[in-house]
Amino acid sequence: MARRLPPKKKDGPFARVWAIVKRIPRGRVATYGQISEMIDRRLTPVGVGWAVRAASDEIPWHRVINSRGTVSTDKANPGLQRAMLEAEGVLFGRDGAIDLARYGWKPRS
DNA sequence: GGTCTGACTAGGT
DNA sequence: AACCTAGCCAGAC
């Protein structure tokens, strides 16, 4: 089980992750690994997943997916993330994966 | 200050 | 396709 991960530090690596996640445009998605790179690996992909999971409602956490283009939250919220993404126009392939080349967020410097 | 865990990833079996 | 390993890290206890 997930022990606990109540975000305390509002200025630590977590905040860094949230700031980036907030910038993901509607209808676009980013991967954990991608975000990890964006923060200069202050957090590994695992840490990013941890931060995203602990994110509040203001953060569009549903726009964060794994490198395969599938959602990693089905265990916790079956179908939720997919539904939220489809609601903003993100289409899933037959294998349940998103086409990252098409929906992947390409942040500019 | 040691121990344990996870919404990851790439690679292997 | 299912399962396993190692690398990686901050945060809670």
Side-chain angles (χ1 to χ4, degrees), chain A residues 6-90:
Chain A
K8 283 188 173 176
K9 295 187 175 180
K10 300 188 174 176
D11 54 335
F14 277 30
R16 195 65 191 280
V17 172
W18 300 331
I20 289 178
V21 175
K22 281 183 190 168
R23 287 169 43 200
I24 304 175
R26 181 176 173 292
R28 289 307 196 71
V29 297
T31 68
Y32 297 97
Q34 184 185 352
I35 292 174
S36 177
E37 293 284 324
M38 286 182 210
I39 58 174
D40 299 313
R41 293 204 162 258
R42 293 174 139 309
L43 240 54
T44 58
V46 182
V48 173
W50 197 359
V52 172
R53 183 174 86 165
S56 60
D57 306 335
E58 307 158 51
I59 285 73
W61 58 270
H62 60 281
R63 295 185 186 141
V64 183
I65 60 179
N66 61 41
S67 66
R68 294 184 359 226
T70 59
V71 301
S72 304
T73 66
D74 260 15
K75 265 267 189 172
N77 308 299
L80 177 61
Q81 186 169 10
R82 174 168 178 159
M84 292 179 79
L85 287 171
E86 292 182 322
E88 21 183 270
V90 176

